[in-house]
Each structure stands twice: as C-alpha cells, then as structure tokens.
Amino acid sequence: MTQITHWINGSLDSKKPERTGDIYNPATGKVTGTVAFANAATVDSAVSAATAAFVEWRHSSLTKRTQVLFAFRELVQQNKEKIAALITAEHGKVLSDAAGEVTRGLEVVEFACGIPHLLKGGFSEEVSTGVDVYSIRQALGPVAIISPFNFPAMVPMWFFPVAIACGNTVVVKPSEKDPSAAMFMAKLWKEAGLPDGVFNVVHGDKEVVDALLVHPGIKSISFVGSTPIARYVYETGTKAGKRVQALGGAKNHMIVLPDADLELAADAAINAGFGSAGERCMAISAIVAVEPIGNALVARIKSRMANIVTGDGTKGSDMGPLVTAVHRDKVASYIEAGAKEGASVVVDGRDLKVDGDGFFLGPTLLDNVSPKMSVYTDEIFGPVLSILRVNTYDEALNLVNSHQYGNGTAIFTNDGGAARRFQNEVEVGMVGINVPIPVPMAYYSFGGWKNSLFGDSHAHGTEGVHFFTRGKVVTSRWLDPSHGGINLGFPQND
Ligand code: NAD
C-alpha cells in the first residue's frame, strides 16, 4: 500500500495526518494506498516554506533558472514511462494516453526554458529630454495551483514551469484521486537543482483548498476543475484579494457539415469522444450533424466503436475505466436519462462485460439527442457521444453559441470559407478546423469562454507569463555628466 504525504521545503512531511483518503486502481476497483489530507496548519507550513524560498528564488539569475528548467525537462523526459505508469495506476487511462499527457506537459516546460526572452521588457529612449521609460515584469510570490483528477501531470504542468521560471514559488494541490504524479515531479525538481521550498505539494480536499484560497501568503490561484468549484474558487479567491484563473467544465461540440470527409470525421469522433474514456475537458461530447449526412455519419461511428477494446490500461486496451465507481454510475445514469427523454441508444456502454471490479463502462452512442435533454445540457465527462441533427450551418452554430460552456469546438468541412466564418462567429476559446481536439501548443494559451473559465488569463503562453508576473514601468532621468557627475574628463557645466 502506498502512503502519500505532503512535500514541503524539499522533503516529505513526517507528521501523522488527522485525515486520509483512499487511492484506488480504477482498473481493479481495489484500494492501493492512502493520501494524507492537509489541514490549515499544514498549508501554513507549505506557504511559509514557499515564502522563505521566494526571497532568494526571485533574485536567482535567468541563467540559473533556465539551467534548472532544462535539467528538469531532461529528467521528466527520461522518466516519462514511470510517470505514465503512476498515472495509469491511479487514473485508469491507457498507458499511451498517460505518456501523451506527460509529453504535452513537457512542452510547457520547454516553453518556460525560453523565459529570458519572455521576460524582456520594452524601452523607450528620450521620451522627454534626458528621460527614458522602460517596463519590467516581476514575480508575484508564492502561488497556488489546484488541479483536477483527469490530467494529474499535464494540468499542473500548464502552470508550474511558467510560475517557477518567472521567479515565483509554488504550492500545488493535486487531485486527491491521483496524487502520485505530482509527488514524483517534486522529487525530479529537487534532482534538477531547484532550491528547497520553491516547489511544494499539499494534498487533500475542500479543507486544504479553502485554506489556500484565503491564506495571506498566497498571491495567486490557478485552478482547474468542474464549473461549480471553479466559480467558487474564483469568487472566494478574488474576494481575498488574489489574482485568480479558474478553468471549469466543458461540453465540446463537433460540427460536421455536409461536404466534410466523413471517414476523417468518424475517426475524429472516436478519438475525441472515447480517448481517456471521455474524461478530458477537450473531449468531444456533442456531434452536430448537418443533414443529409446524419445517417452516414452515425453508421461510420457505430462500426468503428465495435473495434474499441475497453479494459485495463496497462494491458493494451484502447479505453480504460472511469476514475471511480461513483463517477461510472453517474455517467451510466445519463445513458438511462437520455433513453427516457427520447434519445435513440445506438450503442449502450452498460452492456460491456469485463471481469473483476474495475470501474468500466463501454463506449456509448446516442442519436437524435435534442437540446433540452440532460445528456446535452450537462457535462457528462465519460465515454458518451451524443448526435444532434440539424438542417443548416446557422442552426449548428446557434447550438454551440447557446450552450453555457465554451471550452473547445471543432468543425469538419472541406469549405475553407465556411470554416473561416465559423472561427469568426463561434463563441468558444479553442477552435479546431478538421481537428477534433484543438489543444493549443504551449506557446499559445489554453482556456475557454463562458462557464469554462472564470478570470481573464488563460493558461501558459504569454498569458501565463503575464498571469505570474506584475508589470512595473520605470521613468528615469539621468543628467548628463556635465551636470556634476564623476570627473571622467567630461566638460563640467560650471
Ligand atoms: P473537481 O472540481 O471535483 O476537483 C478539482 C479540484 O478541486 C480538486 O483538486 C479537488 O480536490 C478540489 N475540490 C473538489 N471539491 C471541492 C470543493 N467543494 N471545494 C474546494 N475544492 C474542491 O474536478 P475533477 O472531478 O477533479 O475534474 C474534472 C472536471 O475538471 C471536469 O469538469 C472537467 O471539465 C474539468 N477540467 C477542465 C479543464 C479546463 O481546461 N477547462 C481541464 C481539465 C479538467
């Protein structure tokens, strides 16, 4: 049995926790370990360590910071398989997916290695006689990162490489469901030469989040999770005077226009709907088929679904289990609700038979879904694809724009003009054109609109650098040496 505890000031916390949570292997349904739950006093120790470390780290040279970042990058790269195995054991996603999320996280580390360039300010010479103006960006201090279960390595990596590169110190609060990846990375930071106290990890649930949200030592909150909690974190954190970016839930639509390549669209629907068992904030959940292609598209998706092997993520399956039994049952209840509300169940994931007690649910396809059904209004966060049929592009666009979420979306078409119009008109933060999961590269910023993000900064890219720094503008006047400066042979003015 693994016992996970907090990582504070470069070492494991040895205090006996008052509360712990169980860690499961979702593929077996068995408890494999426990995780310590922090209270306000533990949070205070982590913030104190981060505050003390900030004094030196903010003054460390850009050269020193990039050396540590490059070393960390190499270590994560060398240990990718080990981190992936930890993720699969606690989250359930298949190993290739788990390795993929480490790769996407690494891209942010690589972006942060360019911090000397990213922190360059502006300079205007002679704005008035003898007066120059320039801008600099400075670190905030200790910052908190609170992450969800579905990307235990990648989501914290959206934030901490940039935060640390900018000179901040960090307290990470991973999901209590899969805390091991963050702990592994904490040890890699130490090996990479990051000073103790710059990277800390505390575990737990609402109690630890609440303590971070109001702790006076924490200067900003980067949160990713479900919309109700994201809203709560945003409201509570900003009320306490902190800078907050809180990324929430999603309901991503994929529009298929009548001229689209249906083979490409069907492949995309399978990958984006069922990859990681649909537990991705960029998963496609609603497919909007613009008639007359509805039947042809459904037939292609259905036939591909027969080839998806659902099972233990370490054993060559295509799709793993859901994260908990409670979540599996919740997702299954949406299939029931969809059927009751009038959707056609084309493929029913509840029919799946897998040996053992793992939290499995097979891929599910619902057709003739309408906008009022709960399978459409709610984020399901599981392997359930809904097909909505409409007659025009405008109806399709209106569906996307009327939804409460605006994280990602995709359009499939061969008409560049239609795609161009869609990218302009759609009210969503990340748009794919014949690309189902348009996750921006690290040097762009990740984030949605509407109820998918509270705050005004997206993650990583230049928005990340701005979020983790404060701007300062200096206006300076230096008189010519002739006005009494040191005598270096300049003519004096007397
Ligand atoms: P969650 O909201 O349950 O938990 C997220 C974090 O908040 C965890 O660290 C958890 O411990 C903490 N938390 C849970 N309940 C809390 C409470 N009452 N008060 C304070 N903190 C609390 O989310 P999850 O189930 O771990 O993750 C799935 C959700 O995350 C989905 O809704 C998904 O769309 C979303 N997500 C969004 C993005 C994005 O970029 N927008 C990315 C990944 C995941």
Side-chain angles (χ1 to χ4, degrees), residues 31 38 71 256 345:
V31 174
V256 184
V345 185

Side-chain angles (χ1 to χ4, degrees), residues 255 257 259 393 397 409-427 431-434:
I255 294 184
L257 294 187
D259 70 324
Y393 161 84
L397 177 73
T409 189
I411 190 164
F412 278 72
T413 178
N414 279 316
D415 183 334
R420 189 165 182 276
R421 195 167 141 192
F422 180 70
Q423 79 186 22
N424 176 268
E425 294 176 336
V426 75
E427 291 169 18
V431 181
I433 296 172
N434 296 317

Side-chain angles (χ1 to χ4, degrees), residues 460-484:
H460 59 69
T462 45
E463 290 195 41
V465 175
H466 273 236
F467 183 80
F468 286 117
T469 51
R470 288 188 288 188
K472 189 182 269 181
V473 178
V474 182
T475 304
S476 78
R477 184 200 305 276
W478 289 106
L479 297 181
D480 188 83
S482 61
H483 287 261

Side-chain angles (χ1 to χ4, degrees), residues 96-127:
S96 56
D97 257 350
E101 81 157 275
V102 181
T103 302
R104 293 309 309 255
L106 265 178
E107 289 168 7
V108 184
V109 181
E110 287 159 1
F111 167 75
C113 286
I115 198 68
H117 188 69
L118 296 163
L119 281 183
K120 282 197 301 199
F123 191 98
S124 303
E125 189 186 39
E126 210 78 345
V127 296

Side-chain angles (χ1 to χ4, degrees), residues 146-151 155 158 173-177 204-206 209-210 223-227 229 232 247-250 281 379 381 407 446 452:
I146 301 162
S147 56
F149 81 83
N150 69 320
F151 284 108
V155 166
W158 281 350
K173 204 303 277 176
S175 169
E176 64 278 28
K177 298 189 178 89
D205 54 8
K206 180 172 169 50
V209 172
D210 283 345
F223 172 90
V224 181
S226 57
T227 287
I229 314 292
Y232 165 77
L247 285 69
C281 66
E379 177 181 44
F381 221 56
N407 210 42
F446 182 107
S452 295

Side-chain angles (χ1 to χ4, degrees), residues 46 129 279 354:
T129 307
E279 291 173 324
V354 179

